[in-house]
Amino acid sequence: MELGLFAALTASLIWGFAPAIIRLGVGEDTSAMVFNTLRLIAAIPVTVLIIVVLHEQLIIPSSIIGWIAIFAAGTIGPGIGDVAYIYAIREIGGGKAVTIGYTYILISQFLALLFFGEELTWKLIIGSLLAVTGIWFVAREAKTKTYNVKGIIASCVSAVAWGFGSIANKYALFYTNPLSLALLRMMLLLIILLAFTWKQLRNISRRAIYASIFTGATSYGIAMPLFLYALDVIGVSVTVLVTALSPALGRITTRILVKEELSLHGIIGTIVIILGLIIGTST
C-alpha cells in the first residue's frame, strides 16, 4: 500500500511542474497536437531506458481485447485528454483549465465503483471533495481569460477523457504490466498523432520544442509509469485522489518560473488539498 501511494505521490510531484513549462512553451500559434507529438517522441526513449535498467519484462498482449484496451488507454487519456488540456491552458489559462480538468478525480472514482466495484468509503469521498475544493481555491488566484467557451469546453473534455482514461488504463493492466503499458500506449498514440502532425513538426518554435521535450520525458516517460503502477497496486480511486496535489504544486512552479502572483487563495487551497489527501488516503 505504501509503495503504491509513494508512486502516485511522485507522479503528482512531477506533474506539478508541467503547467508552468507548458505555459512557457505553448504560444498562440503552437498546435496542441504537435506539442503532444513531440512530448511522446521525447518520452519513449526514457521509458525504454527504465525498462532496460530495471530488467523489466516487456509483456505483449496475446488477445485482441488486450490490444483494444491498450489502444483505448493511449488514445482517451493522453490522446484526447492531454491535447484538450493543452488547448484549454492556451485559451483560458492554467487556473481555470486545471480546476475543470481535475474534476476527473470524481469521474474516475464513480466509474471505478461502477466498473470495478472499488469501495468508496466516507473518508475517500470527503477527501476527494476537499481536494477538488482546494483546486478551486488554487485556481481562483490565477488571472485568466473569461467567457472563452472553446477553452471551457476543452477543459470539460479533458476531465471526461481523463476519467474514462483511468478506467481504460486499469482494464489494460489486466493484460500487461505498468511499464509495458506505458510504452505500448505511447507508441500507438505516436503513430496516430504523426499521421496528422508530421508535416507541421518543422514549424514549431525552439521554445516549444524544449518545453515538449522536458514535459514529455518527465510527465510521460517517468510519471506515467509510476501512475500506472499505483493504479495496479492501490486502485483507481485512491490513485487519482493523490494527483490532486499536482495543481497546488503547479501554482508554486508558475509563481517561480512564470512570476504569477501567489495569494492567500493559493495557500488556503494547498492546505485544503493536503488535508483532503490525508483524510482520503488514511486507513
Side-chain angles (χ1 to χ4, degrees):
M1 178 68 171
E2 289 78 8
L3 191 57
L5 283 174
F6 177 77
L9 180 60
T10 304
S12 186
L13 291 172
I14 294 173
W15 284 334
F17 286 91
I21 304 300
I22 291 174
R23 182 168 179 180
L24 286 171
V26 176
E28 293 293 332
D29 58 342
T30 304
S31 165
M33 288 184 66
V34 173
F35 189 83
N36 228 33
T37 300
L38 291 174
R39 293 176 80 197
L40 290 167
I41 293 173
I44 289 174
V46 175
T47 303
V48 170
L49 179 61
I50 294 174
I51 292 174
V52 172
V53 170
L54 296 180
H55 302 288
E56 186 72 29
Q57 182 182 4
L58 184 62
I59 299 178
I60 307 296
S62 57
S63 68
I64 186 64
I65 297 177
W67 278 107
I68 291 174
I70 292 174
F71 177 81
T75 55
I76 296 175
I80 299 173
D82 286 11
V83 170
Y85 182 57
I86 293 169
Y87 178 84
I89 289 176
R90 190 183 70 187
E91 292 296 312
I92 61 175
K96 285 184 179 178
V98 78
T99 303
I100 299 172
Y102 268 74
T103 57
Y104 96 95
I105 293 171
L106 303 178
I107 297 173
S108 295
Q109 291 174 337
F110 172 76
L111 293 174
L113 172 66
L114 190 64
F115 287 101
F116 302 121
E118 289 192 8
E119 183 181 4
L120 282 180
T121 64
W122 281 110
K123 287 184 178 180
L124 188 59
I125 293 172
I126 293 172
S128 298
L129 292 175
L130 282 173
V132 173
T133 302
I135 292 169
W136 177 78
F137 269 103
V138 168
R140 281 196 64 189
E141 68 178 353
K143 295 180 180 180
T144 62
K145 300 176 184 178
T146 310
Y147 305 124
N148 187 314
V149 177
K150 291 182 179 179
I152 293 173
I153 291 175
S155 297
C156 292
V157 170
S158 67
V160 174
W162 287 342
F164 278 91
S166 299
I167 301 305
N169 280 314
K170 178 66 175 180
Y171 191 76
L173 285 168
F174 294 147
Y175 299 92
T176 184
N177 59 33
L179 276 169
S180 298
L181 175 57
L183 179 61
L184 292 172
R185 70 178 216 161
M186 283 192 295
M187 293 176 67
L188 286 173
L189 181 57
L190 179 59
I191 292 172
I192 295 171
L193 287 180
L194 280 174
F196 295 96
T197 63
W198 69 275
K199 290 183 178 180
Q200 306 173 52
L201 291 176
R202 295 181 181 179
N203 300 323
I204 192 167
S205 68
R206 182 174 297 181
R207 184 177 62 178
I209 292 175
Y210 292 152
S212 62
I213 290 174
F214 179 82
T215 58
T218 55
S219 295
Y220 282 162
I222 300 174
M224 184 51 67
L226 289 171
F227 176 78
L228 295 174
Y229 174 78
L231 283 181
D232 196 31
V233 175
I234 60 177
V236 175
S237 297
V238 176
T239 300
V240 297
L241 171 59
V242 176
T243 64
L245 189 59
S246 294
L249 296 172
R251 290 301 296 124
I252 296 173
T253 56
T254 52
R255 172 66 182 89
I256 296 172
L257 298 177
V258 191
K259 306 303 180 184
E260 288 187 357
E261 182 181 353
L262 184 62
S263 71
L264 182 61
H265 286 113
I267 296 172
I268 293 174
T270 302
I271 294 173
V272 173
I273 290 172
I274 293 173
L275 179 62
L277 296 181
I278 293 173
I279 293 174
T281 59
S282 63
T283 56

